[in-house]
């Protein structure tokens, strides 16, 4: 059986999964684009990972508060905006967009589990 801290460390490691989508987007964007543009179209996975890790750390450190829930939900809009940006401005192979399913799945996890972690209200 996992302890709470062990489970949180596990989730910290697994929260790096959306970074894979960012790396694939960066590598798949044409080398002719500027570095800033390549980074901009690949930030979505990093943003999802940062939100997941941040929520887990708030839950682990033991300083969750109910008022953090609203702030966390507002922060979830940023990865959604970055995903939309990548759909319009990515100039590589369109099949790469299928990886957004990973980000959307992790955003759903972040909304549910991350929301509970930052507020301290667990089901």
């Amino acid at each position: 059986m996992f302890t709470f801290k062990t489970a949180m460390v596990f989730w910290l490691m697994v929260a790096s999964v959306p970074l894979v989508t960012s790396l694939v987007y960066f590598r798949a964007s044409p080398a002719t684009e500027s570095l800033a543009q390549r980074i901009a179209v690949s930030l979505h996975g990093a943003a999802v990972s940062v939100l997941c890790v941040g929520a887990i750390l708030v839950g682990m450190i033991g300083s969750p508060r109910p008022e953090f829930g609203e702030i966390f939900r507002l922060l979830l809009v940023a990865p959604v905006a970055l995903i939309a940006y990548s759909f319009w401005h990515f100039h590589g192979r369109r099949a790469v967009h299928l990886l957004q399913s990973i980000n959307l799945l992790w955003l759903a996890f972040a909304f549910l589990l991350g929301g509970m972690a930052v507020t301290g209200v667990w089901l």
Side-chain angles (χ1 to χ4, degrees), residues 38-57:
R38 292 177 74 190
I39 290 172
V41 297
S42 63
L43 273 178
H44 40 71
V48 173
S49 287
V50 166
L51 283 174
C52 289
V53 168
I56 292 167
L57 288 176

Side-chain angles (χ1 to χ4, degrees), residues 1 4-5 13 23 29 39 49 56 59 66-68 79 81 85 87-88 101 104 106 112 121:
M1 189 77 174
F4 179 75
K5 297 272 185 188
M13 290 187 306
L23 291 173
S29 42
I39 290 172
S49 287
I56 292 167
E67 55 268 11
F68 289 163
Y85 180 83
F87 273 120
W88 281 297
S101 59
L104 294 175
W106 275 101
L112 296 172
V121 178

Side-chain angles (χ1 to χ4, degrees), residues 55 59 64 72-73 109-123:
F72 184 72
R73 283 188 290 277
F109 283 140
F111 179 77
L112 296 172
L113 296 175
M116 289 187 281
V118 298
T119 60
V121 178
W122 297 88
L123 293 178

